[in-house]
Structure formats: C-alpha cells, structure tokens
Amino acid sequence: MEHKVRIGKVADQDGFRREDIRRMSPDERVSMLLLMQGSFYRWAENPGIKRTAAVRRLNHRDIPK
C-alpha cells in the first residue's frame, strides 16, 4: 500500500479525495468498499450477523435487457 501525504488547505481535501477515487479501477473501488463495510459491520466479531451477498462479475451477455 502506498501512502501519500499532501499539504494543502482544508478546502482542497474533497478535491484530493475525488481525484484519488477517479484514478482507481472499478475492482479497486469495490475492494475498498468491502474493506470499509467489513470494518464497520465487523463480520468476524459478530457471528449473529450473516453476510447474505456475494460479489460476482457480470459479462455483457449476463445483464438483462
């Protein structure tokens, strides 16, 4: 993981975040989302909550019209 430190104003923070997310691939965005979701819900620490969704890649033929 690469850490970047940017020196700027508080008003520039949103622009930095948007630029970083824009540079990410769709797979990186989903991975980041799952990491944030896992840290929020803490699946491993709370066995009462069961994960009911899975991530799968759809080809253009699999998408309903």
Side-chain angles (χ1 to χ4, degrees):
M1 180 182 276
E2 182 179 320
H3 292 276
K4 294 180 183 178
V5 177
R6 295 187 178 146
I7 308 297
K9 298 177 183 175
V10 174
D12 298 333
Q13 295 296 317
D14 192 45
F16 292 156
R17 182 187 56 78
R18 288 176 188 265
E19 179 183 338
D20 290 343
I21 290 175
R22 198 174 309 125
R23 289 182 182 176
M24 296 172 86
S25 70
D27 289 339
E28 288 174 325
R29 290 183 195 150
V30 170
S31 177
M32 183 178 75
L33 174 69
L34 292 175
L35 283 172
M36 289 189 309
Q37 183 187 48
S39 66
F40 179 75
Y41 288 116
R42 300 181 183 174
W43 304 109
E45 295 175 11
N46 191 348
I49 300 175
K50 293 186 180 180
R51 188 176 202 112
T52 58
V55 176
R56 56 177 207 175
R57 181 175 293 275
L58 297 175
N59 294 323
H60 68 282
R61 292 183 205 125
D62 298 334
I63 300 172
K65 292 182 181 182

